[in-house]
Amino acid sequence: MTSLQKRALTLLVGSQLLIMLGIGLIIPVEPYIKDDMGLTATDMGIMAALFAAVQFLASPIIGRLSDKFTRVPLIATGLLLFSISEGLFALGIGHEFWHLNVARALGGLAAALSIPSITALASDMTTSSNRAKVIGWLSAAFSGGIILGPGVGGVLANIDHKLPFFGSAILGAISFLIFIIFMPNENKLRNKQIETSSDHTKTPKNNFWSLALVMLLIMILVSSFGLAAFENMFSLYFHDVRGFNLNEIAVFLIVNGILSLIFQVVFFDKLVRFMGELMIIRLSFLFGFISIIWILFSQQKWEVFVATLIVFVGFDILRPAITTLLSHISDSQQGFVNGLNMSLTSVGNIFGPILGGILLDLNSNLPYTFVAIVLALATFLTFTIKFNTIHS
């Protein structure tokens, strides 16, 4: 990669990390917002679903726009809107519930503007041989922000429940300014070493909607549905059912964030070259299913801690594996493909949290039982699908 591309990649990774950090900040504070405002687990699920609903509607449209026009202005707009949404959320805590919902909806639009465009622009700068490494870095920022965000949020929330979100709003504004000042011209970033038409990882334009793509999108939908229920009910389950306090949840998420970053940055590219994306996806689902069964039957806190670590790390290498497979579908439609990925993930994020909240209100073990069933189905899907992706 050229020096300009490296600088751009650094800005893209940093932007994605910041956005996901802001999204993750809310997780450890959820039980306290719920108690302070007299809300239910279902209310909290609806709030998370609003974020995903806006993201679902906007992502494919914005992905198409980024393919036809330019990606950098969309990313910059997303960063600015992210800052605004975090500030509005902080101001809404302790007041009307609809204030929080409006802020999360704006956050969903910010994510739709930035995340597909970030991944698409990064793919524009790569070839098949180094794409897994670059997507591994972006995915590390994606999942690292989600995991480290709650850890940081838990520490700051001990001072004041609003502080994590005010801090995130300030960082978002600073990031927006840095991005528009230092981001190189987009035309200078696109990869000049265009791969030939004989490259077997490319899909002809008239075969864009291949069986492999359709089945992969179904897999994204199924897995995101269960994952959203697991992640959004995680802090409530740890706090209300297993008796973890805010500090213990924060420590867990920090440890998990470090492990996930190591796996994605150091080992992901090596794992892809060794076993391929599909095998990584299959093992992630399988070990996730086994670990959730372990959680349901565990008696000690340390068992819940270790099993949940396995689930999160598995999911955190699952995301880049799916994204890398998708990136090989069409080099000319990276924005649209990544928009589809984000949109289908959002479908799971809409219904997963709502169903998870309803199930948790009914019985403490029902959400994780549901996730176990979904992961079993996802594991089965991986044995019925074949992708002819060959790595350089």
Side-chain angles (χ1 to χ4, degrees), residues 277-311:
E277 296 97 333
L278 184 57
M279 182 58 71
I280 293 173
I281 295 168
R282 182 177 298 157
L283 291 177
S284 296
F285 283 140
L286 181 59
F287 280 102
F289 167 74
I290 293 170
S291 298
I292 288 176
I293 297 298
W294 184 13
I295 292 170
L296 289 172
F297 288 95
S298 63
Q299 300 296 319
Q300 305 294 326
K301 276 188 175 182
W302 72 263
E303 293 182 86
V304 179
F305 190 99
V306 173
T308 307
L309 274 180
I310 295 171
V311 175

Side-chain angles (χ1 to χ4, degrees), residues 70-77 117 121 179-180 183-186 189:
T70 56
R71 312 194 198 278
V72 169
L74 295 175
I75 299 170
T77 303
S117 298
L121 183 54
F179 187 85
I180 61 174
M183 188 67 183
N185 185 293
E186 188 170 336
L189 297 176

